[in-house]
Amino acid sequence: MMSGPSRHRPGPVPDLPPLMSALACVDEPMQVARGRAMAGVDAGLVCWRETARTLQAAMVLAPDVALVRAMAALPACMVGMQNAIGSLGPSELQLLLGRDGVLWLNGARAGGFRVAAATCDPAVVPDWLVVGCDVTLRSANGTEGGEMPGQTSLAGEGCPLTASDLLGAWGRHSLYWLSCLDNRLGRSVLMREWQGLCMERGEGGCPGLDGDFARTALQGEAATAEPLSAIPET
């Protein structure tokens, strides 16, 4: 019989900002957070667990704008994670962000993000939005090396963080960027930060973005846009 992912006992309670609360989980945090969101839990709940290798977490949000605009919470939380790791780790770390949610650490995958929403209609205000992350803290067998080409861990890149410390820092930095979404100037600041950290910048430059973080491009004389609202699970 196959067993589930190995788990560590929850560490110290994460030091989250006052508007957030932590819930240590046995089950997968994204599923727990979605269930709590559908049951009407207040925004700011952060469900989390630490496995043998990873920090898994999911943040419940309650948008007051249509999904197409609310999806800016994804880059806000991804930039928040980049800032969190940058504030705790060595200065030589290079952490870039993929539009598909992948975290790239020194050129290799070190985790990623998912989004779930109460609706997939970009014009509807979702009752809830959940942003989930999975960050690789350490390697599969406890040794840090190149046994999995293309993948890495924080410890393997000289950044051995505890799940609790990383979660607390992610909450604090994400809250700052989420608050920026309330006004046009704040969104512009986040957009510049997001573009500067975007993995695609190494493949022909930063992607063009509109005010809702949709990627824009020209096909002939026609402009096209790929909205973030095409990403979330329901």
Side-chain angles (χ1 to χ4, degrees):
M1 183 173 68
M2 296 182 62
S3 61
S6 57
R7 304 177 181 90
H8 288 192
R9 290 184 178 181
V13 177
D15 182 19
L16 292 170
L19 294 177
M20 294 181 176
S21 60
L23 175 65
C25 301
V26 173
D27 296 323
E28 204 274 326
M30 189 75 174
Q31 297 303 319
V32 175
R34 288 172 63 164
R36 294 296 181 99
M38 287 186 284
V41 73
D42 290 339
L45 178 68
V46 181
C47 301
W48 72 289
R49 74 176 178 184
E50 180 181 3
T51 73
R53 296 185 59 210
T54 65
L55 164 65
Q56 300 173 350
M59 185 184 301
V60 177
L61 304 173
D64 57 3
V65 293
L67 180 63
V68 68
R69 291 188 61 78
M71 278 297 298
L74 174 61
C77 290
M78 291 185 71
V79 171
M81 181 61 76
Q82 192 278 342
N83 292 173
I85 295 173
S87 69
L88 298 172
S91 58
E92 61 269 20
L93 284 179
Q94 183 194 52
L95 181 62
L96 298 178
L97 310 173
R99 183 180 165 82
D100 56 357
V102 175
L103 295 176
W104 295 93
L105 181 60
N106 291 345
R109 290 173 177 253
F113 277 73
R114 298 163 56 192
V115 184
T119 179
C120 59
D121 187 335
V124 172
V125 178
D127 292 334
W128 52 265
L129 188 75
V130 174
V131 179
C133 67
D134 190 327
V135 181
T136 309
L137 300 175
R138 54 191 75 86
S139 68
N141 58 12
T143 62
E144 302 305 336
E147 69 272 5
M148 298 181 68
Q151 300 185 42
T152 191
S153 66
L154 291 179
E157 302 296 334
C159 186
L161 300 179
T162 68
S164 179
D165 286 345
L166 180 56
L167 187 66
W170 179 54
R172 293 189 296 274
H173 286 281
S174 295
L175 183 61
Y176 168 77
W177 290 113
L178 288 167
S179 69
C180 288
L181 300 180
D182 293 335
N183 59 78
R184 182 178 299 177
L185 177 60
R187 280 181 171 250
S188 297
V189 173
L190 174 60
M191 188 176 298
R192 288 196 298 270
E193 189 81 2
W194 169 251
Q195 286 182 301
L197 295 170
C198 192
M199 184 65 178
E200 285 86 347
R201 70 181 183 174
E203 303 174 0
C206 299
L209 298 174
D210 68 12
D212 295 323
F213 292 80
R215 180 162 51 186
T216 58
L218 285 176
Q219 293 185 350
E221 297 182 356
T224 62
E226 179 188 349
L228 284 174
S229 56
I231 295 175
E233 309 163 10
T234 53

